[in-house]
Amino acid sequence: MAAATSAITFDVADCKVSPLTADPTGGTTTWGTAVDVPGITEVSLEPNFITNELKGDGGAVLSKKGRIDRLNFSSTYGELSQDVLVVLLGGSVASSGTGSSEVGTLNLTDASLPYFKVQFLITDLETGSDALAGVHVTLQKCQLTGGSLVSGSTDTFNQPTFTAEAIKPKGAATQFGSIVFSEAAVTLS
């Protein structure tokens, strides 16, 4: 029997980002090692539409066309991670010092923002009949568009956020990504 095609979702279980390493036109899009977004607490995926209409005969709408132009992703997570920031911003963490004087530094520059893949997993699901183990969402080619990468305030936990836009890769896989309903357990890689 086919997997269920609808589910009530509760809680996001996991999120990972992977640096895009190659996206040749018509070729194979590839990514580097996935990096865990620690303490993921919220994700959101919203389509951005391009629409147009043809009017004639005194202003009547004769035809209307629309399509998804890009997808907007946003997330909130619980633990500041230089590894996540490297994927989102580019660059690398430089380590220095020894013993209890070790330091890891990520320099913030004005270099072009890199592309990356986003994956997230929802495993707490309710379905009408067929049991599902997870909903796995993948966005193949994203770029950072905003967020609060580091925050701090008195007497409260602070949660980094980031927003990104997903566009289609140039490689042979020409979709933005996928939403997969799976009866078997899923892990992000």
Side-chain angles (χ1 to χ4, degrees):
M1 178 178 260
T5 58
S6 68
I8 297 169
T9 61
F10 182 80
D11 204 11
V12 59
D14 198 7
C15 183
K16 294 189 186 298
V17 291
S18 307
L20 185 100
T21 55
D23 188 24
T25 302
T28 301
T29 304
T30 59
W31 302 271
T33 303
V35 173
D36 185 56
V37 179
I40 191 71
T41 59
E42 184 178 356
V43 292
S44 174
L45 181 61
E46 300 173 6
N48 183 57
F49 296 101
I50 297 294
T51 61
N52 202 343
E53 55 188 37
L54 174 64
K55 289 186 176 184
D57 296 334
V61 176
L62 303 174
S63 182
K64 186 165 180 70
K65 294 286 184 181
R67 65 178 172 83
I68 295 175
D69 179 56
R70 67 195 74 204
L71 295 168
N72 299 309
F73 172 80
S74 63
S75 70
T76 302
Y77 56 107
E79 187 177 328
L80 182 61
S81 167
Q82 285 184 318
D83 294 333
V84 170
L85 293 177
V86 166
V87 174
L88 301 179
L89 300 170
S92 61
V93 175
S95 297
S96 62
T98 59
S100 62
S101 299
E102 292 182 44
V103 175
T105 302
L106 173 63
N107 290 314
L108 303 174
T109 70
D110 62 353
S112 293
L113 292 171
Y115 290 110
F116 53 90
K117 174 171 68 173
V118 170
Q119 302 177 80
F120 64 89
L121 181 63
I122 300 171
T123 56
D124 194 347
L125 308 166
E126 280 185 38
T127 61
S129 57
D130 294 329
L132 285 177
V135 174
H136 176 204
V137 178
T138 302
L139 302 172
Q140 296 188 64
K141 185 177 182 179
C142 300
Q143 191 172 59
L144 186 69
T145 58
S148 176
L149 301 178
V150 179
S151 64
S153 60
T154 302
D155 295 334
T156 189
F157 291 106
N158 299 287
Q159 293 184 286
T161 65
F162 74 89
T163 59
E165 285 184 343
I167 61 174
K168 291 181 182 179
K170 296 183 293 185
T174 58
Q175 68 273 6
F176 295 104
S178 60
I179 301 172
V180 176
F181 283 45
S182 177
E183 290 179 338
V186 178
T187 58
L188 301 183
S189 57

